[in-house]
Amino acid sequence: QMVESGGGSVQAGGSLRLSCTASGRTFDNYTLGWFRQTPGKVRRYVAAISWNGDSTDYSDSVKGRFTISRDNAKNTHYLQMTSLKPEDTATYYCAATFRRNWRRMASDFTAWGRGTQVTVSS
C-alpha cells in the first residue's frame, strides 16, 4: 500500500512537499514516480526517480520547479514543488514500477496510491 500526504491549498508562487510512504512491502528496487490528474483528463506523468536515486526525470511542464527524491530507509519518496502555478492544480498520485527503463506512461507503473489534492490559486 502506498499513501500520499502533503497536499493542500496554496497561492501561486508557493511551495508544497508531497510524500508517499509504502507499507506492507518495500520498494527499494523499484522506480518511483508521481503522476497528476484533473477531472475528465488522463493521468499525466510528472516525475520519476530510479531505484538507486541516480537518475531522475521530469515532464517539461514541471522541470526546474519540482524535485523528486527518495529515502529507502523510510520507504518514502517525495515531490518538492516550488513556484507553483494554477495549472499545477490536480490530484497527485504516487506510483511504482519494477521497470528500470520506464516510459512516461501510467501503464508502465503497477502500484499506486489513492491520491492527494493540490490546489493552487491565482
Side-chain angles (χ1 to χ4, degrees):
Q1 182 181 5
M2 302 176 76
V3 179
E4 302 93 341
S5 61
S9 297
V10 65
Q11 289 193 326
S15 301
L16 284 173
R17 188 177 82 155
L18 305 183
S19 300
C20 176
T21 300
S23 61
R25 63 180 298 182
T26 178
F27 286 98
D28 287 5
N29 293 323
Y30 282 68
T31 297
L32 301 175
W34 290 93
F35 287 73
R36 64 188 183 186
Q37 188 172 22
T38 54
K41 299 292 181 65
V42 299
R43 195 166 294 188
R44 294 195 177 276
Y45 177 91
V46 175
I49 186 167
S50 62
W51 68 277
N52 59 2
D54 283 355
S55 178
T56 57
D57 179 60
Y58 300 90
S59 67
D60 290 345
S61 61
V62 307
K63 190 176 295 184
R65 300 188 298 122
F66 291 11
T67 303
I68 189 170
S69 61
R70 65 190 294 162
D71 185 339
N72 285 349
K74 296 181 178 179
N75 224 13
T76 299
H77 68 288
Y78 307 94
L79 186 69
Q80 178 68 50
M81 305 185 294
T82 63
S83 301
L84 282 161
K85 304 175 181 180
E87 51 264 44
D88 294 318
T89 295
T91 300
Y92 283 71
Y93 297 88
C94 62
T97 178
F98 202 65
R99 295 175 67 108
R100 299 296 172 91
N101 296 309
W102 70 92
R103 296 171 296 176
R104 297 178 177 181
M105 298 173 61
S107 58
D108 269 18
F109 289 75
T110 55
W112 292 89
R114 293 186 177 182
T116 185
Q117 178 67 34
V118 171
T119 303
V120 184
S121 58
S122 58

